[in-house]
Amino acid sequence: MNDLARLASGLIALPPSCGPVRLIAVDGHAGSGKSTLASRLSVALGEAPVLHLDDLATHEELFGWADRLRDQVIGPLSRGETAHYAPYDWTARRLGSPQTLEPAPVVLIEGVGAGRRALRPHLARLWWMELDPLASWQRGRRRDGPALSAFWDGWTVAEKQHFAADPSRPYADALVRQLPVGYEWLEGPRTTAGANHSVTHREPPCATY
């Protein structure tokens, strides 16, 4: 059993946090590797559902999606029901076809703001991708290319404002550093008063973003 498989087994053993569901949030700056970790963990969990917060955000509401998340996702999952939401099409600038999110034993939520104040009471675990904002944003800009440079200019301002008002990192159960091979896991600010105990999990090489 590899390290992500062991981690997955531990998540399944956690008490449910949202009805019958264990909600696991992966937060961090844009470009820090959240979606890669969530994707890899989903596989380790037997294709656990993943909610990408980019599907709830829009050009007009980069961080104004908390009410829709509560009504369309958290509410149904807390009742053991299937959630329904319409993902936003960032190219067409409109909502797409409705999608479903099943109340599986573990559901992953990844995206900037996944550990926000309104969501934390429903989380079984909150992980923070430990990469500073400038390095994260540079990775994101390289990934998206110069055509989205203006969008990134606006995004970084909005992200700074969001985390200034509603920080996630201080409440993280673990800080996750993406290594050239695998991940390094550190105890998060919520579970330690200062010194971090480092536990390294090594996995096969993964994508940068």
Side-chain angles (χ1 to χ4, degrees):
M1 182 184 293
N2 62 34
D3 289 320
L4 278 186
R6 283 193 291 270
L7 181 63
S9 296
L11 295 180
I12 294 172
L14 292 173
S17 60
C18 182
V21 176
R22 296 147 188 85
L23 281 181
I24 309 299
V26 184
D27 204 340
H29 299 290
S32 60
K34 300 176 298 300
S35 60
T36 294
L37 176 59
S39 176
R40 292 170 62 81
L41 186 56
S42 171
V43 172
L45 286 161
E47 304 301 330
V50 181
L51 175 66
H52 304 283
L53 292 178
D54 283 351
D55 288 342
L56 292 182
T58 68
H59 282 91
E60 291 73 29
E61 291 185 323
L62 294 178
F63 292 98
W65 40 259
D67 289 345
R68 282 182 284 117
L69 177 66
R70 179 196 63 212
D71 296 341
Q72 298 175 11
V73 177
I74 299 299
L77 293 184
S78 70
R79 299 187 294 270
E81 301 170 359
T82 299
H84 297 82
Y85 66 98
Y88 183 65
D89 186 324
W90 288 87
T91 302
R93 291 179 174 252
R94 56 177 174 78
L95 297 178
S97 301
Q99 301 291 318
T100 60
L101 190 70
E102 300 294 333
V106 177
V107 173
L108 305 170
I109 298 181
E110 72 84 16
V112 180
R116 68 190 306 166
R117 186 181 303 113
L119 186 53
R120 286 197 294 271
H122 307 285
L123 298 178
R125 286 291 185 272
L126 167 57
W127 297 333
W128 176 267
M129 299 302 295
E130 187 74 337
L131 185 65
D132 73 73
L134 291 181
S136 297
W137 297 336
Q138 287 172 356
R139 288 172 62 173
R141 285 177 181 271
R142 288 197 301 271
R143 176 193 64 201
D144 293 342
L148 291 180
S149 179
F151 172 81
W152 271 95
D153 291 343
W155 171 270
T156 55
V157 172
E159 186 181 301
K160 289 177 184 177
Q161 293 173 341
H162 168 74
F163 281 133
D166 193 352
S168 299
R169 189 182 184 280
Y171 304 95
D173 298 288
L175 307 178
V176 187
R177 289 177 178 163
Q178 189 173 7
L179 304 176
V181 178
Y183 296 92
E184 181 183 32
W185 300 75
L186 308 173
E187 289 186 7
R190 196 183 76 82
T191 56
T192 181
N196 286 328
H197 173 64
S198 174
V199 180
T200 301
H201 298 261
R202 296 197 176 273
E203 292 290 311
C206 56
T208 304
Y209 302 109

